[in-house]
Amino acid sequence: EVQLVESGGGLVQPGGSLRLSCAASGFTFSSYWMHWVRQAPGKGPMWVSRINPDGSRTDYADSVKGRFTISRDNAKNTLFLQMNSLRAEDTAVYYCGTRDSGYLGDWGQGTLVTVSS
Amino acid sequence: EIVLTQSPGTLSLSPGERVTLSCRASQSIINNYFAWYQQKPGQAPRLLIYGASNRATGIPDRFSGSGSGTDFTLTISRLEPEDFAVYYCQQYGTSVLTFGGGTKVEIK
């Protein structure tokens, strides 16, 4: 059974940084694209970023490009999202997900990031 | 960035009814790289349809997807009580993936 467990969320001040992790199990992590998707309170999902299986290709939403960095450690079956220069509008539940380069068939339970002074 | 517009915003229906949800893209989606998700309160979205018309594993056959180009549709042939939720469309035909704003299907 696929399991994705996010961690690292919390309260951070505007301009601050946070690193999210997603621990994966139940599938061959190193063979799959991985994604981060966020959802602000009361809003729809917004795709944030994706990374290919060997980590050589990454894509980002325009609103986070240059501030967020996605990475992965295939030896530890873990996905990361380094978030810098955080803004109030980055406040959301952040989910990791997988299945395909484009769609997400498996999702974690999410971790809440709150950007506030 | 491709913008996806879902309509209507909310649908009030009764169990047993047929429902059709629409999603229109601001530009054509290549290769029908299009998906639909269902989300219930406090849960992550659940994949229903990918490739515009392929049901994901475990999804009942009352759910079907169709469309191409800029216009896509999700149909639920007969609403069950567990189908009342918010539905989102998503495109993955470009390197920047985007979701629609959602349609809420509520009990009338």
Side-chain angles (χ1 to χ4, degrees):
Chain A
E1 179 194 0
V2 173
Q3 278 209 314
L4 299 168
V5 180
E6 302 93 338
S7 61
L11 175 64
V12 61
Q13 292 190 338
S17 298
L18 214 53
R19 189 193 198 201
L20 305 184
S21 299
C22 170
S25 60
F27 65 105
T28 306
F29 179 76
S30 59
S31 296
Y32 285 84
W33 285 77
M34 297 294 298
H35 301 257
W36 287 101
V37 173
R38 72 186 185 187
Q39 190 165 24
K43 303 294 186 183
M46 190 202 97
W47 175 81
V48 172
S49 182
R50 69 179 178 181
I51 186 168
N52 71 341
D54 68 7
S56 61
R57 175 177 169 175
T58 58
D59 295 301
Y60 297 91
D62 291 345
S63 59
V64 307
K65 197 175 297 183
R67 300 189 299 125
F68 290 11
T69 302
I70 190 171
S71 62
R72 64 193 298 160
D73 183 339
N74 285 344
K76 296 183 178 179
N77 291 348
T78 305
L79 175 72
F80 302 101
L81 185 68
Q82 177 67 42
M83 304 186 295
N84 299 331
S85 303
L86 283 161
R87 307 166 180 167
E89 54 265 35
D90 296 318
T91 294
V93 173
Y94 284 72
Y95 297 98
C96 66
T98 188
R99 182 71 63 83
D100 183 82
S101 61
Y103 57 86
L104 288 78
D106 300 287
W107 298 66
Q109 86 290 347
T111 187
L112 177 62
V113 172
T114 303
V115 184
S116 175
S117 54
Chain B
E1 171 179 311
I2 295 178
V3 176
L4 300 179
T5 302
Q6 292 188 242
S7 60
T10 303
L11 275 171
S12 297
L13 298 164
S14 301
E17 288 195 83
R18 178 185 179 89
V19 57
T20 299
L21 309 181
S22 295
C23 185
R24 175 162 288 177
S26 59
Q27 55 187 276
S28 187
I29 308 299
I30 66 165
N31 295 333
N32 282 349
Y33 285 161
F34 200 85
W36 289 94
Y37 299 83
Q38 175 194 70
Q39 189 176 31
K40 297 179 181 178
Q43 298 182 14
R46 174 195 182 198
L47 178 69
L48 299 175
I49 301 288
Y50 64 94
S53 61
N54 302 293
R55 266 188 305 276
T57 303
I59 301 304
D61 61 7
R62 64 180 181 273
F63 290 92
S64 63
S66 63
S68 63
T70 60
D71 291 292
F72 295 86
T73 297
L74 175 70
T75 300
I76 310 173
S77 60
R78 184 180 170 86
L79 274 172
E80 298 289 339
E82 62 268 28
D83 299 337
F84 291 94
V86 182
Y87 292 83
Y88 296 99
C89 57
Q90 181 229 333
Q91 68 79 25
Y92 49 100
T94 64
S95 61
V96 176
L97 285 58
T98 51
F99 284 86
T103 292
K104 182 178 182 180
V105 178
E106 63 178 23
I107 299 176
K108 188 174 183 179

